C-alpha cells in the first residue's frame, strides 16, 4: 500500500469522528436532571443510576430495595449498586437470569459490559451485538444503551452516530454526555470531550464522572482547572471510588507513591478487587522498584482475566514516565501477546519503539493499531509524522545518527554536527560515561511535528526539545520566529540529558536532570540558561523560591516550571562548586542505585537534605541577593502604569536601587523624547540588572538614545552589552550589523553576525559576511562552514560562492575538493579568471 492513499484514508476516518462530534450537541437539557421525573416503578433503574452518578451509594441502595417495583426491575437496580461496589459475582447472579428470561435492556447491557471487563469476550460481544441488532425499541433511553454497547465493541463510528441521535434523555442526560465524552477522550479528542463533560455538568451539576472526565481531559492544557475539577468531584462524593482512582493516578504522577497507595486503599474499601485498582497497584510497585511485585500483581490479574491487558499497559505507562522506554516497550509487547487485537497495546508499543529509536518496527505496530482503531488521534498523528520523516535526510557520524528535513539538511548539518560532537566529548569526560548508542537526533522544521514526536499530539508550546535517553528531538530554528529561542542551546541541553539519564540508570529525579542540563548550557555559554535570572530574583525578593525541598513539587506545577528549571540549575551549580564534577557523578550513581534525595545526598556528599538546603540558601543569597533586592518592587511603586512622569521622578529619587522604578522612569522619559533625562535612569537600571533583555530593556533603550544623538560608538557598545546576555535577539544583532558596517567596526559586526547566524541560520547574508571575514583572517575552517551554509541557501552569485569554497578548501589543503569547487564555479562562469586561477592552484598540487 502506497503512502498517499493510506494518509488520505486516515484523514477521512479521523475527520469523520471530529465532524460528527462537532455537529452532535443535543437540544436543550434540563439544568438539574431528576427534579422533574418522580420516582416510580418505571423510573426506578434510572433513579438508581442517577444516585450512583452523584456518588450517593446509600441513596441508590435505598431506591433499589424499597419500592413496589416489579422484582425484575429491583434486581437490575440492586445489580447496578453491586457493580458500583465491585461485587461482580453477585451482580452476575442477578443479571444472568433476567437476560435468559428475555430482558433486552439494562440487564443485557450491563451483563455484556461485565463479560468484557472480566475477559469473557465471546459472551460479552455476543450480548452487546444482540442489543445493537434490536430495531423496534428506539426510545432515547434505549439508543443510549446501544451507543454504550457500540463503544464497548469499539465500533466508534456507530457509537458516535448513536450518541448524536439520542437527544434529551430524562434522568440520564449527564450519563449520555459523560459516556460520549469518555469515548472522545479515549481517542484524544480532548476539546470535544471537554464540551461533552461540560454539557453533563450543565445537565446535572452533581454528576461526579463529568468532573473526573473534565479533570483528565484538561490535565495537559490547564493543570489548575484539572485539579479544581478533581477537587470538586471529591467534594461532591468524598468516598466515590473513581475519585480515589484518579487521585491515585495523580499522586503517582507526582512521585508520591505512598499517597497513591493510600488512595488505592480507599478505593479497595468501597470497591475491592477491581482490575482498575490492580493495574494502578502494579504501577505503584514498579515506581518503588519492586518489579517482581509489579509483575506478580499483573500475573494474578491475567490468571483471573486472560485479557487483562490494562495491567501491562499500566506498567508500560509508568516505565515510560520514568524514561525507561525499553521496559515500557517490553510491557507493551506482553500486552500485545496477551491480546493481539487490542489497539492500544499496539499503539503504546509503537510509541515506545519510536522513543527507543526503532522507527521501522514502530511503524508496523502503529499501522496495526490504526487498522484496529482508525479513530485514535495519537496513532494517526504518529503515522503521519513517520510519513513526513520518510523524506528526511539521515547522516551518521561517530555515536550519532542525525535526521534533518531535506530542505534544511545542508544548512543545519555544518552547525549541528560539530556542536553535538563537542557536547558529547565534553560530557563523556565530565561524567565518565560513554552512553549507550547510537544516539538519534531529529530536528523538525514544524513545531507541531516535534510535539507529535514527543507526545503524539500537536501543541506543546512550552517545550523546544525532548530527550528519551537515546533519542533527542528538537524544533528547528525555522519552527518558530527568529529570535524566540536558541536551537543550539536546546541541542546542548538535550544531549546533557542523555548523560544524566543514562548515568543514573534513568532514575535521576526531574529536578536534577533538568538542573544539570540548564547548568551545562550556562557552562558552555554564560548567557545560555540564564534567561530567567530577573524572574528568579524577583521571586527571591518575594520569598517565592522553592529551596531544595520544594523543587520536586515545583516541577509538578506547569505555572512554576520556568522558575523550577532555573533554580534547579543553581542548585546543580552549587553542588558542583562544593563537591566538583566527581560529587555530581557520585550523586547520579546514588540515584542509579535506587536512592532518593535524603539517601543520595548522604552517599554523595555526606550531608542531609537540610544541610544542603542551608548551604544552597547561602549560595543563592551570595549570588543573587543583590539582584533580588534590586528587583524588589517598593510598596509605593506597585503600580507604575499611567503614573505621571513627575510622580515617577519622585519615586526614582526615593528608590535609586529599584530596577523596576528606574526602568519605568527611563522608559517614560524615552517615550516623551527627553533622551538626556532618560539616560541616567536607564544607566542606573542597567547597572542594577545587567542581564535585562528585550527591546524595552535598559541597554536597548540606551542604544536607541545614543543612535538618535549621533553617538554610534556608544550605540554599538550598548548593543554589544545587550547581546552578551540577550543571546538570541536578532533584531538588536541586525541593528548592530548596520551600525558596525557604517563605522567599519569589524569586531562588533562579527559579534552581531555570529548571533544572527547561530539564531537564524537561514539568513544567507549573515553566513556570507562571516565567511568573508574568516577568509580575510585565513580562518579557512570557519569560512568553509559559513560558505557551505550560504551555498545551501542559494547565494545570488553562484560562481563567486563556489570560488570562495574552493579558496577555503585550498587553505585547508584539500586540493581535490578545491578542484571540484573551482570547476563548479567555472560551470556558472566559464571565463571567471579567479576560478581559473583557483583550479590551476588545485591541479598543480595534485
Amino acid at each position: 500500500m502506497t503512502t498517499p492513499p493510506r494518509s488520505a484514508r486516515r484523514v477521512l476516518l479521523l475527520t469523520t469522528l471530529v465532524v460528527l462530534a462537532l455537529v452532535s450537541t443535543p437540544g436543550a437539557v434540563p439544568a438539574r436532571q431528576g427534579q422533574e421525573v418522580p420516582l416510580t416503578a418505571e423510573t426506578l433503574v434510572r433513579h438508581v443510576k442517577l444516585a450512583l452518578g452523584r456518588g450517593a451509594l446509600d441513596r441508590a441502595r435505598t431506591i433499589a430495595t424499597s419500592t413496589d417495583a416489579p422484582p425484575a426491575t429491583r434486581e437490575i437496580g440492586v445489580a447496578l449498586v453491586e457493580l458500583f461496589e465491585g461485587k461482580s459475582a453477585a451482580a452476575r447472579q442477578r443479571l444472568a437470569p433476567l437476560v435468559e428470561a428475555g430482558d433486552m435492556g439494562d440487564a443485557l447491557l450491563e451483563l455484556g459490559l461485565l463479560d468484557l471487563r472480566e475477559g469473557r469476550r465471546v459472551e460479552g460481544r455476543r450480548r452487546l451485538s444482540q442489543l445493537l441488532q434490536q430495531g423496534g425499541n428506539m426510545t432515547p433511553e434505549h439508543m443510549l444503551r446501544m451507543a454504550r454497547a457500540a463503544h464497548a465493541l469499539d465500533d466508534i463510528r456507530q457509537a458516535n452516530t448513536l450518541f448524536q441521535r439520542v437527544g434529551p434523555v430524562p434522568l440520564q442526560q449527564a450519563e449520555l454526555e459523560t459516556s460520549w465524552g469518555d469515548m472522545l477522550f479515549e481517542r484524544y479528542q480532548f476539546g470535544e470531550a471537554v464540551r461533552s463533560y461540560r454539557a453533563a455538568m450543565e445537565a446535572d451539576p452533581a454528576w461526579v464522572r463529568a468532573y473526573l472526565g473534565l479533570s483528565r481531559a484538561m490535565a495537559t492544557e490547564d493543570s489548575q482547572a484539572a485539579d479544581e475539577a478533581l477537587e470538586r468531584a471529591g467534594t461532591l462524593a468524598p468516598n466515590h471510588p473513581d475519585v480515589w482512582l484518579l487521585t491515585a493516578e495523580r499522586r503517582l504522577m507526582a512521585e508520591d507513591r505512598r499517597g497513591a497507595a493510600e488512595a488505592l486503599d480507599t478505593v479497595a474499601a468501597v470497591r475491592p478487587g477491581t482490575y482498575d485498582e490492580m493495574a494502578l497497584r502494579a504501577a505503584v510497585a514498579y515506581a518503588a522498584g519492586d518489579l517482581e511485585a509489579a509483575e506478580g500483581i499483573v500475573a494474578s490479574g491475567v490468571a483471573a482475566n486472560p485479557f487483562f491487558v490494562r495491567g501491562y499497559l499500566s506498567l508500560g505507562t509508568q516505565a515510560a514516565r520514568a524514561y525507561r522506554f525499553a521496559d515500557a516497550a517490553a510491557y507493551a509487547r506482553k500486552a500485545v501477546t496477551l491480546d493481539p487485537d487490542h489497539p492500544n497495546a499496539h499503539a503504546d508499543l509503537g510509541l515506545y519503539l519510536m522513543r527507543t529509536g526503532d522507527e521501522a518496527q514502530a511503524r508496523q505496530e502503529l499501522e496495526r493499531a490504526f487498522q484496529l482503531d482508525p479513530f485514535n488521534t495519537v496513532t494517526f498523528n504518529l503515522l503521519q509524522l513517520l510519513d513526513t520523516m520518510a523524506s528526511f535526510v539521515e547522516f551518521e557520524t561517530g555515536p550519532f545518527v542525525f535526521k534533518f528535513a531535506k530542505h534544511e539538511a545542508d544548512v543545519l548539518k555544518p552547525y549541528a554536527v560539530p556542536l553535538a560532537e563537542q557536547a558529547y566529548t565534553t560530557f563523556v569526560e565530565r561524567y565518565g560515561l560513554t552512553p549507550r548508542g547510537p544516539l538519534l537526533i531529529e530536528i523538525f522544521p514544524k513545531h507541531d511535528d516535534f510535539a507529535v514526536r514527543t507526545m503524539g499530539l500537536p501543541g506543546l508550546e512550552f517545550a523546544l526539545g525532548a530527550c528519551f535517553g537515546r533519542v533527542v528531538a528538537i524544533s528547528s530554528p525555522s519552527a518558530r520566529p527568529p529570535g524566540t529561542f536558541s536551537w543550539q542551546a536546546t541541542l546542548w541541553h538535550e544531549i546533557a540529558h542523555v548523560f544524566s539519564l543514562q548515568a543514573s540508570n534513568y532514575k535521576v529525579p526531574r529536578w536534577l536532570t533538568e538542573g544539570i542540563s540548564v547548568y551545562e548550557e550556562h557552562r558552555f555559554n554564560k548567557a545560555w540558561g540564564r534567561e530567567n535570572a530577573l524572574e528568579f530574583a524577583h521571586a527571591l525578593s518575594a520569598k517565592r523560591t522553592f529551596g531544595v525541598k520544594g523543587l520536586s513539587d515545583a516541577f509538578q506545577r506547569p505555572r512554576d516550571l520556568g522558575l523550577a528549571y532555573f533554580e534547579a540549575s543553581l542548585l546543580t551549580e552549587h553542588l558542583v562548586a562544593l563537591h566538583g564534577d566527581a560529587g555530581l557523578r557520585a550523586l547520579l550513581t546514588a540515584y542509579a542505585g535506587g536512592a532518593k534525595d535524603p539517601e543520595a545526598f548522604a552517599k554523595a556528599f555526606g550531608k542531609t537534605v537540610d544541610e544542603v538546603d542551608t548551604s544552597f540558601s547561602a549560595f543563592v543569597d551570595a549570588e543573587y541577593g543583590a539582584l533580588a533586592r534590586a528587583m524588589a518592587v517598593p510598596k509605593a511603586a506597585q503600580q507604575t502604569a499611567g503614573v505621571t512622569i513627575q510622580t515617577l521622578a519622585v519615586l526614582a529619587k526615593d528608590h535609586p536601587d529599584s530596577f523596576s522604578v528606574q526602568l519605568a522612569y527611563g522608559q517614560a522619559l524615552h517615550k516623551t523624547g527627553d533622551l538626556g533625562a532618560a539616560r541616567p535612569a536607564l544607566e542606573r537600571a542597567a547597572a542594577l540588572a545587567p542581564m535585562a533583555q528585550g527591546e524595552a530593556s535598559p541597554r536597548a533603550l540606551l542604544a536607541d538614545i545614543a543612535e538618535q544623538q549621533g553617538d554610534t560608538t556608544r550605540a554599538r557598545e550598548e548593543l554589544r552589552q545587550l547581546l552578551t546576555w540577550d543571546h538570541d535577539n536578532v533584531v538588536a544583532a541586525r541593528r548592530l550589523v548596520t551600525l558596525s558596517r557604517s563605522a567599519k567596526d569589524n569586531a562588533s559586526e562579527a559579534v552581531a553576525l555570529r548571533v544572527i547566524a547561530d539564531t537564524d541560520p537561514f539568513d544567507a547574508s549573515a553566513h556570507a559576511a562571516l565567511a568573508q571575514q574568516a577568509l580575510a583572517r585565513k580562518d579557512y575552517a570557519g569560512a568553509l562552514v559559513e560558505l557551505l551554509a550560504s551555498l545551501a541557501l542559494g547565494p545570488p552569485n553562484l560562481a563567486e560562492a563556489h570560488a570562495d569554497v574552493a579558496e577555503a578548501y585550498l587553505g585547508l589543503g584539500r586540493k581535490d575538493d578545491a578542484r571540484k569547487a573551482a570547476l563548479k564555479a567555472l560551470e556558472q562562469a566559464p571565463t571567471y579568471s579567479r576560478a581559473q586561477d583557483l583550479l590551476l592552484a588545485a591541479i598543480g598540487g595534485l
Side-chain angles (χ1 to χ4, degrees):
M1 184 166 54
T2 61
T3 296
R6 185 188 63 232
S7 299
R9 176 170 171 266
R10 292 189 207 136
V11 172
L12 173 64
L13 289 170
L14 199 63
T15 303
T16 299
L17 178 58
V18 174
V19 170
L20 285 174
L22 287 172
V23 302
S24 59
T25 302
V29 296
R32 293 181 181 274
Q33 65 176 7
Q35 293 181 348
E36 74 292 349
V37 181
L39 173 59
T40 65
E42 291 74 20
T43 63
L44 179 144
V45 172
R46 281 183 278 168
H47 273 283
V48 170
K49 291 181 178 180
L50 180 64
L52 292 175
R54 294 172 173 176
L57 179 59
D58 291 339
R59 167 75 174 155
R61 185 179 290 111
T62 299
I63 293 171
T65 58
S66 63
T67 71
D68 295 328
T73 303
R74 291 200 306 271
E75 287 289 276
I76 294 174
V78 173
L80 290 172
V81 172
E82 290 170 337
L83 289 171
F84 184 92
E85 295 177 300
K87 299 175 181 177
S88 300
R92 180 178 292 280
Q93 289 180 355
R94 296 183 190 278
L95 295 171
L98 298 176
V99 172
E100 291 173 5
D103 186 296
M104 301 295 289
D106 287 305
L108 181 61
L109 172 66
E110 297 299 337
L111 186 58
L113 294 175
L114 178 58
D115 284 335
L116 292 184
R117 285 197 298 273
E118 294 188 337
R120 302 184 184 191
R121 183 170 292 178
V122 174
E123 298 95 322
R125 288 176 173 172
R126 177 177 56 79
R127 296 187 206 281
L128 296 178
S129 296
Q130 185 180 5
L131 191 150
L132 284 170
Q133 290 165 7
Q134 297 178 52
N137 181 16
M138 295 302 287
T139 64
E141 184 180 8
H142 190 67
M143 287 184 69
L144 175 55
R145 293 190 198 103
M146 294 174 68
R148 293 181 60 201
H151 176 200
L153 291 171
D154 290 323
D155 188 344
I156 304 306
R157 191 189 302 275
Q158 183 176 12
N160 206 61
T161 300
L162 287 165
F163 278 128
Q164 177 189 359
R165 294 176 179 174
V166 171
V169 192
L171 292 177
Q172 292 182 266
Q173 193 66 36
E175 180 184 357
L176 160 65
E177 295 290 355
T178 304
S179 297
W180 200 352
D182 289 345
M183 186 186 76
L184 293 165
F185 174 78
E186 290 167 6
R187 269 73 194 171
Y188 300 93
Q189 297 287 337
F190 295 148
E192 297 306 314
V194 166
R195 291 188 190 189
S196 286
Y197 293 135
R198 291 199 184 281
M201 292 157 60
E202 181 182 351
D204 189 342
W207 196 259
V208 176
R209 279 181 49 224
Y211 292 94
L212 297 177
L214 184 67
S215 182
R216 286 191 171 93
M218 299 193 73
T220 301
E221 294 297 323
D222 190 341
S223 62
Q224 184 174 349
D227 290 343
E228 291 171 355
L230 176 56
E231 183 178 356
R232 178 60 179 155
T235 300
L236 289 169
N239 297 317
H240 198 300
D242 291 340
V243 170
W244 287 101
L245 279 171
L246 183 54
T247 299
E249 288 180 27
R250 293 284 162 78
R251 289 178 179 176
L252 188 56
M253 290 176 66
E255 301 178 8
D256 179 6
R257 298 194 307 274
R258 182 174 181 178
E262 290 173 352
L264 291 174
D265 289 342
T266 304
V267 173
V270 181
R271 186 189 291 164
T274 65
Y275 292 114
D276 289 328
E277 177 199 341
M278 192 177 296
L280 281 174
R281 286 205 186 273
V284 171
Y286 181 91
D290 193 344
L291 304 190
E292 183 177 352
E295 296 192 20
I297 292 170
V298 176
S300 66
V302 172
N305 176 358
F307 296 107
F308 180 46
V309 172
R310 192 179 320 156
Y312 286 123
L313 295 185
S314 179
L315 287 179
T317 297
Q318 186 58 34
R321 192 175 289 142
Y323 285 80
R324 298 170 203 163
F325 297 108
D327 282 4
Y331 287 129
R333 285 190 192 281
K334 289 186 177 182
V336 167
T337 300
L338 202 62
D339 184 355
D341 293 328
H342 198 293
N344 289 349
H346 290 281
D348 283 6
L349 179 54
L351 177 63
Y352 301 148
L353 289 172
M354 286 191 70
R355 292 177 176 180
T356 62
D358 189 353
E359 292 172 355
Q361 186 63 41
R363 178 185 284 278
Q364 294 183 29
E365 296 298 332
L366 292 168
E367 291 284 9
R368 178 58 179 152
F370 184 76
Q371 291 171 4
L372 293 166
D373 180 6
F375 296 108
N376 185 305
T377 305
V378 167
T379 301
F380 168 83
N381 288 342
L382 290 172
L383 284 169
Q384 291 288 88
L385 178 67
L386 287 172
D387 289 346
T388 297
M389 292 177 63
S391 66
F392 274 29
V393 174
E394 187 172 302
F395 176 74
E396 295 186 27
T397 176
F400 296 107
V401 176
F402 286 87
K403 290 189 176 182
F404 304 96
K406 188 174 183 179
H407 66 284
E408 295 191 345
D410 289 341
V411 177
L412 295 181
K413 188 169 74 172
Y415 284 93
V417 172
L419 184 67
E421 291 174 340
Q422 184 177 2
Y424 185 88
T425 301
T426 299
F427 298 147
V428 165
E429 180 178 354
R430 186 167 290 159
Y431 293 97
L433 171 74
T434 299
R436 182 186 173 194
L439 305 181
L440 178 60
I441 296 182
E442 298 172 341
I443 303 180
F444 295 93
K446 293 181 180 179
H447 179 77
D448 276 348
D449 284 347
F450 156 74
V452 168
R453 181 65 171 90
T454 303
M455 298 292 292
L457 296 167
L460 204 66
E461 294 302 321
F462 58 86
L464 300 166
C467 173
F468 302 111
R470 288 190 293 133
V471 176
V472 167
I474 69 170
S475 286
S476 161
S478 66
R480 296 195 181 198
T484 56
F485 81 109
S486 169
W487 70 279
Q488 293 187 358
T490 302
L491 180 58
W492 193 273
H493 178 109
E494 300 304 335
I495 293 176
H497 275 310
V498 171
F499 287 81
S500 61
L501 288 170
Q502 294 202 26
S504 66
N505 194 25
Y506 298 90
K507 296 179 183 178
V508 60
R510 188 178 179 189
W511 72 261
L512 182 56
T513 187
E514 297 295 358
I516 287 173
S517 285
V518 177
Y519 176 52
E520 289 294 359
E521 288 183 56
H522 181 60
R523 270 178 144 176
F524 182 69
N525 182 324
K526 77 171 187 176
W528 288 1
R530 290 299 176 261
E531 296 84 356
N532 290 333
L534 297 193
E535 183 184 359
F536 174 77
H538 184 266
L540 183 62
S541 73
K543 302 186 185 306
R544 289 190 290 104
T545 54
F546 313 115
V548 176
K549 296 179 180 178
L551 268 178
S552 289
D553 288 342
F555 273 98
Q556 304 301 323
R557 300 187 295 270
R559 65 183 180 275
D560 289 332
L561 277 179
L563 283 178
Y565 272 67
F566 188 87
E567 189 168 345
S569 77
L570 295 184
L571 177 53
T572 305
E573 180 179 352
H574 173 57
L575 295 175
V576 172
L578 288 182
H579 306 286
D581 291 328
L584 195 56
R585 291 194 297 270
L587 185 61
L588 290 170
T589 300
Y591 287 117
K596 299 303 175 185
D597 287 352
E599 184 183 357
F601 284 10
K603 286 184 174 182
F605 312 130
K607 294 181 178 180
T608 65
V609 172
D610 286 335
E611 288 172 331
V612 174
D613 199 21
T614 299
S615 64
F616 177 54
S617 179
F619 168 80
V620 167
D621 186 63
E623 294 293 322
Y624 283 88
L627 183 60
R629 290 186 286 276
M631 294 304 297
V633 180
K635 290 184 179 180
Q638 293 293 325
Q639 177 57 261
T640 57
V643 175
T644 65
I645 288 183
Q646 292 76 14
T647 300
L648 286 172
V650 173
L651 288 171
K653 182 178 179 181
D654 292 344
H655 302 283
D657 295 326
S658 169
F659 172 79
S660 63
V661 170
Q662 296 299 320
L663 179 61
Y665 184 41
Q667 288 172 334
L669 290 167
H670 176 268
K671 186 175 182 179
T672 64
D674 192 349
L675 306 184
R679 176 178 284 170
L682 293 171
E683 287 175 340
R684 180 59 184 155
L688 290 168
M691 65 289 295
Q693 303 174 19
E695 297 306 304
S697 66
R699 294 289 184 196
L701 296 178
L702 285 168
D704 182 68
I705 289 172
E707 188 175 355
Q708 288 192 54
Q709 293 179 337
D711 187 353
T712 58
T713 300
R714 172 72 183 271
R716 296 196 307 276
E717 178 57 29
E718 293 294 349
L719 289 171
R720 286 191 64 164
Q721 290 293 327
L722 175 63
L723 293 174
T724 299
W725 293 102
D726 203 353
H727 59 88
D728 54 11
N729 189 334
V730 292
V731 174
R734 288 182 174 127
R735 188 63 200 149
L736 181 55
V737 167
T738 300
L739 293 174
S740 299
R741 285 176 178 169
S742 298
K744 300 188 184 321
D745 181 355
N746 292 336
S748 293
E749 182 185 359
V751 169
L753 289 170
R754 184 75 274 150
V755 170
I756 297 169
D758 287 348
T759 305
D760 182 13
F762 299 99
D763 185 325
S765 63
H767 294 298
L770 282 169
Q772 293 307 313
Q773 288 188 349
L775 287 173
R777 62 177 182 269
K778 301 188 184 304
D779 175 10
Y780 297 113
L784 185 60
V785 171
E786 306 303 336
L787 288 168
L788 292 176
S790 177
L791 195 60
L793 290 166
N797 188 327
L798 274 174
E800 185 177 9
H802 284 298
D804 287 340
V805 171
E807 181 180 342
Y809 278 134
L810 272 177
L812 292 170
R814 296 168 58 177
K815 293 193 174 183
D816 188 51
D817 289 326
R819 176 183 62 82
K820 294 175 183 177
L823 286 172
K824 288 181 179 179
L826 290 170
E827 287 177 5
Q828 299 294 320
T831 61
Y832 186 18
S833 59
R834 181 183 171 216
Q836 292 171 345
D837 292 341
L838 288 166
L839 179 60
L840 289 173
I843 294 174
L846 292 177

